[in-house]
Amino acid sequence: MESPIRTGERFLVFVTFLATTFSAAYAQSQPASGQCLTTTVPPTVRSEGLAERMGDVIIQCSGSIPGAVITGNYAISLPVNITNQIDTSNLTTEAQVLINYGLGNTPSPVAGLVSGNTISFNGLSITVPASGSFSLTFTNLRADVNQLSASGSAPIVASLSVPLLINQAQIIVAYPMSGLFATLYSTGVTCTGSPLPPTLDMPDLFAAKTALFSTRVTEGFAGAFTMQGAGETNGTRFLVTYSGFPSNASLYVPNFVAGSDATVPTAGGDLNLPQAAGQWLPGSGTLLLSLVPGADATGTGGTPLPPPTGTSAVALNAVSQVPLTNGVGYAVYEVVSAGTTLIESAQFPTFLGLPGPVTTPTIAQEALLLAPVSTVTTASISAPVPRFASVAPASDCSIIGDCGAAYFPKLNVPDLPVQLTSTAGASTGTAPGYIYVQNAGGGIMSWTSTITYVSGSGWLTLYTPTNENSATISVGVDAQSLAAGTYQANVVINAGNAGSATIPVTLTIQPAAQVTPPASAVTVSSVVNAATFAATPLVAGSLATVMGSNLSGANVSAAFNGAAATLLYTSASQINLQVPAGLGSDTAANLVVTVNGVSSAPVTVQLAPAWPAIFAHGVLNQDNQVNSAADPAPAGSILQIFATGIPAGATVTAQIGSQAGLTPLYSGPAPSLTGVQQVNVAVPSGLTPQTTQLTLCATIAGKQYCSPSYSLITG
């Protein structure tokens, strides 16, 4: 028989039982994890990105029960797809949970399960250390930031579902922002004859004056251009595509491009930096782009050329040819060195080799995207990281601070009235109207033309031979559905960053009873500029060419509003003449050609106060030789430019390359040449040998009129 428990012993057992029971009840009323704080440092990420790295999410817990084991599922959801690399089971080891018990971060063995916009770390187990404190870090989570492009720069907010007592279940993990801005000096590239040197490198290409056009890339924020990181397939890449080049063209690009903070930045000389192959100091941490041989047309694959090594700045002279198939090709660059604290930019020339001369220049195109370009917007087994949506970059001029520079295109549309007439029920007007689009700046200006109707609809047609640089829009009429009366419309010219213009058009419809007389045997088919043979406004005192039929005879005359013109040449199909100086401020005139007493039907021509046009082969060097690749104009020498369309009293300036506002040494009538003006101007002393553009501008009554660009060879 057991001994009875004495009263004191019974009391001790009872107290022990109460203490044990109280401890258990107290532990159950407190969470094993204690209190947890959720923090992050949200980075700026590229809004073009499909696999951008989010900021780490850190959960720091304290006051936890030592020895407690906390097991559960940890899930993070985003407003966009999660795009980490996964295996065939949708598991990723790229995104991780790091556990810190006080001795440093240790990766958890639990892989993340990706499903759409959520990643879950299921069955993650934590054993609380003796300190009662621990932390979890969810790191390297990637997301399709471009899904938020419609909402601008709205932050990316993560929602947390964890078996811990956290202070906040939603937290900002990234701020999207455009990562790439750019300047394509020529979104359209005029292909003219261009020589290649025997040795193909940057210095020799510059010396040979091989035609070039520059591309500039600029970070949208510091650190947007990144080198390849751990677990990534590549660094930030740029895909440059070329199209529309002649079959005999060849393109060359630098093997390496030194950025804006390098020892000597690479530059073609047609933007804001002097012409240079570039120098880069290995290990400097400054921006360097490397060509990627073997990359495909999306910018995927291949291996970037290894960057230079050593302890001294290295000259980046080497170039590579861009393979072209039917005039189409591409080049891919990768960031192999970059800084993180400053906004960096880089620019590089593309050299165009083309046997010449080219009698009919073609307009080729260049485009630029962040790369690799992809349509994979979900987690993937094999898609590259990082990767980007196909988003054309906006202009970087506001970042660089050169938006008003003369080397950028500038739209100029003289506000000449467009007055059209027709007869009710007629399918055409008596004469077309013209709108004259000019590029008063540098580079190549792309533009579009659209119609908005004030009254009536569908009666106007625009015939636009080109939407690059300077061109003439022919405005035609279809009056078949219109009654007699007056109708109005606006033609809007949109050249993007180069500007826009709105030109009013007025159409007068005469009653059908007013029948137009039959055409005369003497016919005028067109009236064009004598220097360029383009349909442009005429200027009083300038030269024009009349094209037609039956224009020759014993007695030939031409009159503008009844004022006789001076005829310089006549044939059956062509008359060269000087427009009467007495037309003054008239904006239009009726031209009538009379041959042996038989007159043509009147043809309405537009008139302008000024309209400079340089004659073909009308630029002589200081030695009186026609400017050409064989006879380039040295820097500092004097050019003799022969043009028409510059009235007396106009203020004349010239632009050569990117240097605008050049004041002529002489501007006035060309000796012994009727209707021709001569402008003498010095080639800027700092201009390097190249093929560049020459433009003449005449300002009269506060309005500027500029000539089409003329290809000038300097040497």
Side-chain angles (χ1 to χ4, degrees), residues 37-306:
L37 298 178
T38 305
T39 61
T40 185
V41 179
T44 303
V45 294
R46 296 165 291 199
S47 60
E48 307 93 335
L50 301 177
E52 294 295 285
R53 189 178 185 274
M54 303 293 97
D56 292 349
V57 176
I58 303 173
I59 301 177
Q60 296 174 304
C61 299
S62 60
S64 305
I65 298 173
V69 177
I70 306 170
T71 302
N73 300 334
Y74 294 75
I76 298 179
S77 297
L78 300 178
V80 296
N81 288 339
I82 291 174
T83 53
N84 287 88
Q85 289 186 324
I86 55 175
D87 62 17
T88 55
S89 300
N90 293 325
L91 294 173
T92 179
T93 56
E94 183 189 20
Q96 293 181 313
V97 181
L98 307 178
I99 305 174
N100 188 344
Y101 293 121
L103 299 175
N105 285 324
T106 301
S108 162
V110 177
L113 177 65
V114 179
S115 176
N117 67 335
T118 299
I119 184 170
S120 302
F121 297 88
N122 298 329
L124 179 64
S125 183
I126 299 167
T127 301
V128 178
S131 66
S133 298
F134 64 92
S135 69
L136 303 177
T137 300
F138 298 83
T139 186
N140 208 32
L141 184 62
R142 294 185 181 274
D144 175 11
V145 178
N146 190 248
Q147 276 185 272
L148 290 181
S149 59
S151 58
S153 57
I156 296 178
V157 179
S159 297
L160 310 181
S161 176
V162 297
L164 304 172
L165 185 61
I166 55 177
N167 67 322
Q168 55 180 338
Q170 291 190 321
I171 190 167
I172 295 174
V173 291
Y175 292 101
M177 187 174 177
S178 295
L180 173 64
F181 293 81
T183 284
L184 306 183
Y185 182 70
S186 295
T187 52
V189 181
T190 304
C191 300
T192 57
S194 175
L196 288 173
T199 303
L200 291 170
D201 60 20
M202 291 273 278
D204 285 347
L205 285 163
F206 284 142
K209 300 177 287 296
T210 301
L212 61 86
F213 50 96
S214 284
T215 306
R216 186 173 69 194
V217 294
T218 301
E219 291 181 302
F221 55 88
F225 296 170
T226 60
M227 297 177 288
Q228 181 177 349
E232 295 183 334
T233 57
N234 50 262
T236 304
R237 290 185 174 185
F238 307 99
L239 173 64
V240 189
T241 56
Y242 306 97
S243 61
F245 285 86
S247 59
N248 60 339
S250 55
L251 300 180
Y252 296 86
V253 294
N255 284 2
F256 297 97
V257 178
S260 54
D261 51 355
T263 306
V264 178
T266 302
D270 50 354
L271 291 175
N272 64 323
L273 295 175
Q275 198 172 77
Q279 293 183 19
W280 182 75
L281 179 63
S284 63
T286 58
L287 183 60
L288 182 69
L289 311 184
S290 175
L291 197 63
V292 186
D296 66 19
T298 68
T300 304
T303 302
L305 297 173

